[in-house]
Amino acid sequence: MDARGNKAVVVPEVVLSSGKKMPVLGFGTGVVGSPRPAQTLALILLDAIELGYRHFDTAALYGTEEAVGLAITQALERGLIKTRDELFITSKLWCADAHHVLFLRALKSTLQTWKAMEECSRMGLAKSIGVSNYGTKKLSQILDNATIPPAVNQVEMNPSWQQEKLRDFCKEKGIHVTAWSPLGFHGATSWAPKPWIDYAIIKEIAAAKGKSVAQVILRSIIQQGEVSAISRSFNKERMKDNIQIWNSMLGRNGKLDS
């Protein structure tokens, strides 16, 4: 509940292969250029918590982990959440740091090689472990050698790049897919498969349902099942719109066709 007495939106959750629950809509903290001062971003994240966001996506590369930590502390102090366990925090290790020898030094700020990540899981330092931007070949290599399989594969996915082959593979293997950059391309136009979707179609759907384009896209991704999404906007009104997507349905399992 926010300062005006409005109830926070309750975001549905998915149960991962680790047995842990993860909200299907996350709040991204990655930014282009230099990150905002930690306390400035923490205040934005507090607004997000008030609205109902319970899944926050960060990384050492983003430079936003400190802000996420501050937001958690202040949310507890303000009574926005009762315990840390109400939040699901995703952090990621940049590939340049992915060396097993460096792991223990970097453990508190990020994760690294899969064997070390499994160790991290067994030590209780991470509730779930996963990968990002892995295709079927790399996933197969991990699955062939892992004692703890990835719970999540976070990849770029949006209306023009729906990752159907990868999603089918992950579903078969019990790996949940999380979409980053769900509202459009992150410079991937050159390698994404054609045909790219005509966004005018999405605008028509949005107008017909009285929703924003962002709301239609986010709902379409999540409604397909076995997929969650990470949205990112530091504008409070857009933050509010992005989380208010549970009171409408799309046809054909939410799929948007070109």
Side-chain angles (χ1 to χ4, degrees):
M1 186 172 291
D2 64 21
R4 292 178 294 277
N6 298 316
K7 288 186 176 181
V9 174
V10 178
V11 176
E13 297 175 316
V14 62
V15 179
L16 303 175
S17 62
S18 61
K20 304 300 181 181
K21 294 180 179 179
M22 182 182 77
V24 296
L25 180 65
F27 188 95
T29 65
V31 295
V32 177
S34 299
R36 303 188 183 197
Q39 182 54 37
T40 300
L41 180 54
L43 292 175
I44 294 172
L45 300 182
L46 285 170
D47 285 340
I49 293 172
E50 278 194 332
L51 290 170
Y53 289 93
R54 294 294 183 267
H55 177 188
F56 292 90
D57 182 82
T58 184
L61 181 69
Y62 301 166
T64 58
E65 291 177 319
E66 180 184 358
V68 172
L70 287 172
I72 294 171
T73 298
Q74 293 168 27
L76 288 165
E77 292 171 350
R78 298 185 186 190
L80 297 178
I81 55 175
K82 293 180 180 179
T83 69
R84 161 65 179 83
D85 288 342
E86 292 182 35
L87 301 179
F88 190 101
I89 308 299
T90 297
S91 190
K92 296 177 289 295
L93 175 76
W94 186 240
C95 53
D97 298 320
H99 190 286
H100 188 86
V101 175
L102 301 176
F103 178 65
L104 292 178
R105 259 185 279 162
L107 188 57
K108 292 185 179 179
S109 60
T110 190
L111 300 172
Q112 24 177 303
T113 65
W114 192 252
K115 287 187 180 298
M117 291 173 72
E118 291 180 325
E119 181 182 348
C120 180
S121 177
R122 286 190 287 267
M123 293 169 65
L125 298 173
K127 294 182 179 179
S128 302
I129 53 177
V131 295
S132 183
N133 301 321
Y134 271 44
T136 57
K137 183 177 180 180
K138 286 187 176 181
L139 284 173
S140 295
Q141 291 172 343
I142 282 188
L143 291 170
D144 286 344
N145 296 281
T147 56
I148 303 175
V152 175
N153 184 19
Q154 188 180 118
V155 297
E156 183 174 4
M157 176 181 164
N158 47 57
S160 287
W161 198 5
Q162 299 188 31
Q163 299 275 20
E164 292 182 350
K165 178 182 176 181
L166 179 60
R167 283 178 13 231
D168 288 344
F169 178 89
C170 288
K171 183 177 181 179
E172 178 185 346
K173 303 299 182 181
I175 302 171
H176 183 80
V177 173
T178 295
W180 63 263
S181 192
L183 302 184
F185 282 104
H186 187 73
T189 308
S190 61
W191 68 74
K194 295 181 180 180
W196 304 322
I197 198 165
D198 181 357
Y199 275 73
I201 296 173
I202 304 178
K203 292 179 180 178
E204 292 176 6
I205 295 172
K209 294 186 173 293
K211 297 293 182 180
S212 69
V213 169
Q215 287 174 317
V216 170
I217 293 173
L218 290 171
R219 183 60 192 253
S220 72
I221 288 173
I222 294 169
Q223 191 172 309
Q224 292 179 56
E226 307 298 330
V227 181
S228 56
I230 302 294
S231 66
R232 190 197 68 77
S233 175
F234 295 160
N235 177 289
K236 191 168 183 178
E237 286 306 310
R238 289 186 190 139
M239 289 160 55
K240 185 176 180 181
D241 282 347
N242 289 347
I243 202 172
Q244 293 181 335
I245 60 174
W246 314 112
N247 59 348
S248 64
M249 296 290 289
L250 298 169
R252 300 179 61 187
N253 294 322
K255 187 174 181 180
L256 294 171
D257 296 317
S258 56

